[in-house]
Amino acid sequence: MTDPYRISGPDYDPATPRPTTSRPAASKPALSKGALALRALLWLVLMAGAVVNMIANGIGAWPLGLVAGGVAALIVHHVNRRKT
């Protein structure tokens, strides 16, 4: 039975293997203790900032929520900058 949703040309042969686009997994370098400590600290500050932001927005203290959101944005910027 043919598949009505398959797009195939006249030279299509299902028995012919097609090239794959997957690459072998690259090994990640091990992180130093300082890098692990920095990562843990950034996660803790990010989570604390999220909690402060939710509480501040709940009680109407928008300046405090703005500061907490700014801290979160700086952490995200730092992590994105280190990836490149």
Side-chain angles (χ1 to χ4, degrees):
M1 176 177 212
T2 60
D3 185 3
Y5 299 105
R6 179 178 297 274
I7 298 173
S8 60
D11 57 345
Y12 175 75
D13 181 15
T16 305
R18 296 184 297 181
T20 61
T21 58
S22 63
R23 297 180 184 150
S27 62
K28 292 184 179 181
L31 295 176
S32 67
K33 289 182 181 179
L36 286 174
L38 178 63
R39 180 179 286 183
L41 178 67
L42 288 175
W43 271 108
L44 287 172
V45 171
L46 184 65
M47 293 298 114
V51 169
V52 168
N53 195 0
M54 287 188 296
I55 293 171
N57 285 329
I59 64 173
W62 64 268
L64 184 60
L66 187 65
V67 170
V71 169
L74 287 174
I75 291 172
V76 170
H77 178 265
H78 173 74
V79 170
N80 284 337
R81 184 177 54 90
R82 289 187 53 101
K83 285 183 180 180
T84 59

